[in-house]
Amino acid sequence: MDIGGIASQGQAAGATNASASLANNFETFLTLLTEQMKNQDPLNPLESTEFMTQLVQFSGVEQQIKQNESLETMIGLQYAAAFGSTASYLGREATVFSNQAPLIDGQAKWSYNLPQDAAENKLVVTDEKGRVVFETEGALESGDHEFVWDGTDNNGDPLEDGVYTMKVTALNEDGDKITARTTVTGRVTGADFTGAEPALLIGDLRVALGSVKDLRETQAPATEDPAA
């Protein structure tokens, strides 16, 4: 019976299963240790160095389990904090670094910045499958620009609501590519915690929390004066 082998198997298992089988049940270890000592070959007893090695292996597994438990606790606390902070975004207008935008009721809007004047610039819109659905000429002057798309393809046919990508393909006079930074602004309608990082939902668009550029209060809807 090899306690060292059992300890190695426990280390390979997840922190939850390992904790249940080792850290929370020292009697199991003592039972195995006693059985090993009782059943060892009298002509070839367990050497003290080997015995100590097995004790060290078990101790190392126990420490690893406790570290994993502490890490899981820290992750849980961070996740709870992220949940609270993300909830405060709901209903607000957020500007995020993204070249994707939701098409809602026949309108999608992007903003982009050209760091220098361009000799030519074309804006290309693709659907979720990467197919080009619309192309148009873009601005040539450096600075901030806005592109509002009415949701129709190159033939003028309306497309379904969803998430679309707009690519800025600007070139300077030497034919070199100009890198444009694209942002999207919209009302935060929800939050998604299913991935590794919390994300915000702007319509059907899912954006990482770290991509938020700025956040603003949305204007409250006007209410009628009862006395009027």
Side-chain angles (χ1 to χ4, degrees):
M1 186 177 296
D2 184 2
I3 295 179
I6 295 176
S8 298
Q9 293 177 5
Q11 189 171 11
T16 302
N17 294 333
S19 297
S21 62
L22 293 173
N24 295 331
N25 195 351
F26 285 102
E27 291 184 3
T28 300
F29 168 68
L30 294 177
T31 300
L32 292 172
L33 179 62
T34 302
E35 288 299 319
Q36 177 171 316
M37 296 180 68
K38 287 167 57 178
N39 294 284
Q40 63 181 325
D41 186 354
L43 301 179
N44 186 24
L46 185 66
E47 296 183 0
S48 59
T49 53
E50 183 180 354
F51 179 70
M52 290 302 298
T53 298
Q54 294 183 2
L55 288 178
V56 170
Q57 287 178 334
F58 181 84
S59 177
V61 172
E62 179 190 359
Q63 292 299 320
Q64 184 64 44
I65 293 170
K66 291 182 178 179
Q67 290 177 5
N68 291 344
E69 290 176 341
S70 299
L71 181 59
E72 288 178 351
T73 300
M74 292 176 62
I75 292 175
L77 292 173
Q78 292 178 347
Y79 198 80
F83 182 88
S85 63
T86 303
S88 66
Y89 286 52
L90 298 180
R92 297 189 177 186
E93 188 177 71
T95 297
V96 298
F97 291 108
S98 176
N99 62 352
Q100 293 184 318
L103 176 64
I104 303 175
D105 296 331
Q107 186 179 89
K109 183 169 61 176
W110 292 266
S111 296
Y112 63 96
N113 177 273
L114 291 178
Q116 65 183 84
D117 290 344
E120 58 180 278
N121 183 18
K122 182 176 291 185
L123 307 180
V124 180
V125 179
T126 57
D127 61 15
E128 295 184 46
K129 295 182 179 180
R131 298 174 298 194
V132 175
V133 295
F134 184 77
E135 294 182 4
T136 187
E137 297 297 324
L140 301 179
E141 300 81 13
S142 63
D144 295 325
H145 304 279
E146 187 176 88
F147 169 54
V148 180
W149 179 46
D150 64 1
T152 60
D153 61 17
N154 288 323
N155 296 322
D157 298 324
L159 300 176
E160 295 182 354
D161 287 357
V163 176
Y164 292 82
T165 301
M166 190 273 290
K167 183 178 180 181
V168 180
T169 57
L171 302 176
N172 61 20
E173 293 182 352
D174 297 326
D176 297 326
K177 180 180 177 180
I178 299 175
T179 301
R181 198 163 199 183
T182 309
T183 59
V184 173
T185 300
R187 181 175 176 271
V188 179
T189 57
D192 184 3
F193 295 89
T194 58
E197 178 183 358
L200 300 178
L201 299 178
I202 301 177
D204 292 332
L205 178 63
R206 185 182 187 276
V207 294
L209 194 61
S211 66
V212 176
K213 178 185 177 183
D214 57 58
L215 191 70
R216 293 174 298 278
E217 291 281 357
T218 54
Q219 185 176 359
T223 56
E224 295 183 1
D225 186 356

